[in-house]
Amino acid sequence: AAESKVHIVYLGEKQHDDPEFVTESHHQMLCSLLGSEEDAHGSMVYSYRHGFSGFAAKLTKSQAKKIADLPEVVHVIPDSFYKLK
Amino acid sequence: TTRTWDYLGLSASSPKNLLNETNMGEQIVIGIIDTGVWPESEVFNDDGLGSVPSHWKGTCQSGEMFNSSHCNKKLIGAKYFINGFLEENKSFNSEESLDFISPRDLNGHGTHVATIAAGSHVQDISYKGLAGGTVRGGAPRARIAVYKGCWYLDDLDVTTCSSADILKAMDEAIHDGVDVLSLSLGSAVPLYGETDIRDGITTGAFHAVLKGITVVCAGGNSGPEAQTVTNTAPWIITVAATTLDRSFPTPITLGNNKMILGQAMYTGPELGFTSLVYPEDPGNSNETFSGTCEDLSLNSNLTMEGKIVLCFTTSSSSGSASTAAGSVKKAGGLGVIIARHPGSDLEPCVDDFPCVSVDYELGTNILLYIRSTSSPVLKIQPSRTLVGQPVGTKVATFSSRGPNTIAPAILKPDIAAPGASILAATTTNTTLNDGGFIMLSGTSMAAPVISGVVALLKALHPDWSPAAIRSAIVTTAWRTDPFGEQIDAEGSSRKLADPFDYGGGLVNPEKAVKPGLVYDLALEDYVLYMCSVGYNDSSISQLVGKSTLCSNPRPSVLDLNLPSITIPDLKEEVTLTRTVTNVGPLNSVYRVKVEPPLGVQVTVMPKKLVFNSETKKLSYQVRVSTKHKINTGFYFGSLAWISSVHNVIIPLSVRTQVLQNYFDEN
């Protein structure tokens, strides 16, 4: 099986003021991609829903590419690391 | 911080200054995204603080050795974000890890930077007698909200921060109601584009800034090489680090009675005249000798035992000193003199082992003395604290330099602040702490200085945008030290500092209160910027949440209304526009004064700006052309608008590129 890594799916400015609604839309997007609510739930790492819209999820390369092609997605990129300065 | 704020002119004792006019920032919340917090530190005492600001919606999250009662009216928020880190580090064992699965700080870095930004006053603090004074933050009554997103990875002995976690911390901080976000972390070059989420800080910062939250970031510690600055998005305040007017001279006396003042944080007893050695082959030995600091362990114990050892290193990192000290100590040596290139990364050696740094010139003097006598000896006395003249201010060696590699037309860093040998709180179990306080160096320490100043400015001018606050800081910065002496950029060799070292200069908090004019930016300006760097309409529309169309031809990045002008590829004449907003007296008249870069012609139209009750915003055009016939490096100048009370100065940086996109090396 292809390895899943954390990817950040960035959707830009949020479309709704209700954070629950924003998170729900993230779950739906992931659910459509992965095929089940259970998989979507297991894949989700974070829902970014206050300052902007997006989510972090465990995805394979091909899943990341698929979701990146959706028109509402600005970018999908793998997680990276910062260091203290 | 026992010197930082007095040095910058923000003394608590002055009856009327920015600090007192803003009640020390009491209504402002500074969000710190870092390694967490050590809540027991005295710097988080809430003595005399009023109730938590009404706009605050954050909470204190409980976890390992941390519960909500650790928060108070000073430390008003504490959360932790670890999911991204856990997913990427499957070997991490939360049960066995040294780190706390909570907002509690293990590393001490988060506690340190929080102190610098907004720590409460704590008197009579020193590092074993050095750098004594009162520790406090820039905005000592501002509230602190800590977001822990950096974790200790035991396997690799490193602290690292997943961008997924940092982005979540920023998302929560925006929700919680922070007024300023301070991030003393970053990635290394090559950088990802600032208009996409390849850099989480950049993206989170974009949305924070659109909501009026100023985001302050460390510029990085990859100096003194050019093109190393990080966190370079135009909506971020990127901070460089300088030294203070403070040093720790350490007398070393040679057997011929010549005294040399090295630099150290040596607080042990005097080491009387002791045999001195430079490990080198006398010419008749089969042993291995090395006088290189990193290779002292190659020497036999006999060479160093009972002696003070002189070594040379080409590295300016404190790691060389600690490696050398460790090798000498292990061999039974009594002290080490490290001859190195000038740098600012000074640290005490473990267990108060005598280790003193000198430059190559002084190191060579010592070497010549050793070679001149059959029984060289040397005495080391404890370090002392020297404050004020003749100690000059320098941009620290480690501070990352411009130009900005992503968008060279965007000047980075923006501003400089003290970030070398800063004494502030840490955890009580951090190596080299003294009573919960430690000296640290880095742009990590410089960034929260600016966050503290921003908090005070925000308290005084709650309606100013993050861009206006940045402009106020940049246009009023000192281009000398606070006493009028020039600021050098430390490196090899030392030179006069320029905008790629320190942006507008060294932050001058009092001057920033009344900048006269500001170069403001709003959403539409950021859209123009994204259009200019090639983003497509649909992406920009999604980013900003409304339909946008880039003009055709696309706008020029040179027109982004920054408090700086940087032209990285001048060939033909260019004309660019800036707009200034009057935040000073209604009826003000400003006249332009240009100091053009070498060989560059700069014409400004109009030459006079007249503001009144009707006219608060005016634009001017700058025409720039070059006389150079070759590809040059950057040359620097300035453009100032001068009224009877204000000098609004922005840096000018111009590089001629007759042959463009050309690696200029031959």
Side-chain angles (χ1 to χ4, degrees), chain B residues 186-451:
Chain B
S187 46
V189 284
L191 303 174
Y192 294 116
E194 70 268 30
T195 47
D196 64 38
I197 199 161
R198 285 172 198 279
D199 185 83
I201 291 175
T202 298
T203 306
F206 177 72
H207 292 281
V209 165
L210 289 188
K211 289 163 180 66
I213 300 165
T214 297
V215 180
V216 182
C217 291
N221 300 337
S222 301
E225 277 70 42
Q227 299 182 320
T228 49
V229 66
T230 60
N231 292 319
T232 58
W235 41 84
I236 287 173
I237 301 182
T238 311
V239 186
T242 70
T243 62
L244 287 162
D245 62 339
R246 182 175 71 184
S247 72
F248 304 101
T250 307
I252 48 181
T253 309
L254 306 179
N256 60 10
N257 277 330
K258 179 174 180 175
M259 192 172 81
I260 287 169
L261 290 176
Q263 290 290 332
M265 291 180 188
Y266 174 55
T267 55
E270 176 176 315
L271 184 61
F273 280 109
T274 304
S275 285
L276 174 66
V277 65
Y278 174 68
E280 59 181 341
D281 192 342
N284 55 359
S285 172
N286 292 327
E287 277 188 49
T288 301
F289 293 90
S290 174
T292 302
C293 298
E294 292 83 353
D295 297 334
L296 288 181
S297 60
L298 299 177
N299 297 296
S300 71
N301 287 357
L302 201 61
T303 302
M304 301 193 286
E305 192 175 354
K307 294 174 187 159
I308 295 170
V309 178
L310 170 70
C311 68
F312 286 76
T313 177
T314 52
S315 165
S316 62
S317 154
S318 61
S320 306
S322 58
T323 302
S327 302
V328 174
K329 193 177 172 189
K330 194 174 172 192
L334 299 179
V336 62
I337 307 295
I338 298 120
R340 61 174 170 85
H341 294 300
S344 312
D345 202 359
L346 196 66
E347 279 185 4
C349 284
V350 176
D351 297 333
D352 274 334
F353 190 77
C355 61
V356 185
S357 294
V358 294
D359 64 19
Y360 262 49
E361 183 183 327
L362 294 171
T364 303
N365 282 347
I366 298 171
L367 179 58
L368 294 178
Y369 160 70
I370 291 172
R371 286 172 174 168
S372 73
T373 179
S374 55
S375 304
V377 290
L378 181 143
K379 176 171 81 174
I380 300 177
Q381 291 173 274
S383 305
R384 301 161 191 176
T385 306
L386 179 61
V387 174
Q389 294 170 334
V391 184
T393 298
K394 290 145 242 167
V395 175
T397 307
F398 59 75
S399 186
S400 291
R401 308 301 211 262
N404 173 352
T405 51
I406 288 181
I410 309 295
L411 178 67
K412 292 286 169 177
D414 293 291
I415 191 72
S421 300
I422 303 297
L423 181 62
T426 184
T427 71
T428 51
N429 51 17
T430 307
T431 310
L432 299 176
N433 90 87
D434 178 22
F437 291 85
I438 194 170
M439 298 261 212
L440 293 178
S441 297
T443 51
S444 274
M445 284 68 237
V449 170
I450 298 299
S451 301

Side-chain angles (χ1 to χ4, degrees), chain B residues 85-97 152-157:
Chain B
F85 172 84
L86 288 177
E87 289 298 339
E88 300 284 358
N89 295 288
K90 297 289 188 193
S91 65
F92 181 82
N93 185 328
S94 58
E95 298 291 316
E96 291 177 4
S97 172
Y152 179 66
L153 190 54
D154 306 66
D155 287 356
L156 301 177
D157 188 24

Side-chain angles (χ1 to χ4, degrees), chain B residues 18 22 452-462 464 469 472-473 509 512-513:
Chain B
L18 173 60
T22 59
V453 172
V454 167
L456 298 178
L457 292 174
K458 203 142 190 165
L460 204 61
H461 303 292
W464 281 11
I469 289 175
I473 287 173
V513 171

Side-chain angles (χ1 to χ4, degrees), chain A residues 5-6 8 10 12-13 45-52 58 71-73 75 77 79-83 85, chain B residues 82-83 87 160-165 168 171 184-186 196-197 200-201 207 211 221 443-444 535 542-543:
Chain A
K5 303 275 277 177
V6 176
I8 296 169
Y10 176 52
E13 191 59 67
V45 178
Y46 288 120
S47 168
Y48 306 115
R49 59 189 197 159
H50 299 295
F52 49 92
K58 288 172 278 180
E72 59 268 47
V73 174
H75 280 294
I77 60 107
D79 193 14
S80 59
F81 285 85
Y82 298 116
K83 284 185 174 167
K85 297 294 181 185
Chain B
I82 194 170
N83 296 357
E87 289 298 339
T160 182
C161 329
S162 145
S163 61
D165 292 336
K168 185 59 186 170
D171 187 41
S184 289
L185 28 119
D196 64 38
I197 199 161
I201 291 175
H207 292 281
K211 289 163 180 66
N221 300 337
T443 51
S444 274
Y535 247 55
Q542 278 174 266
L543 258 147

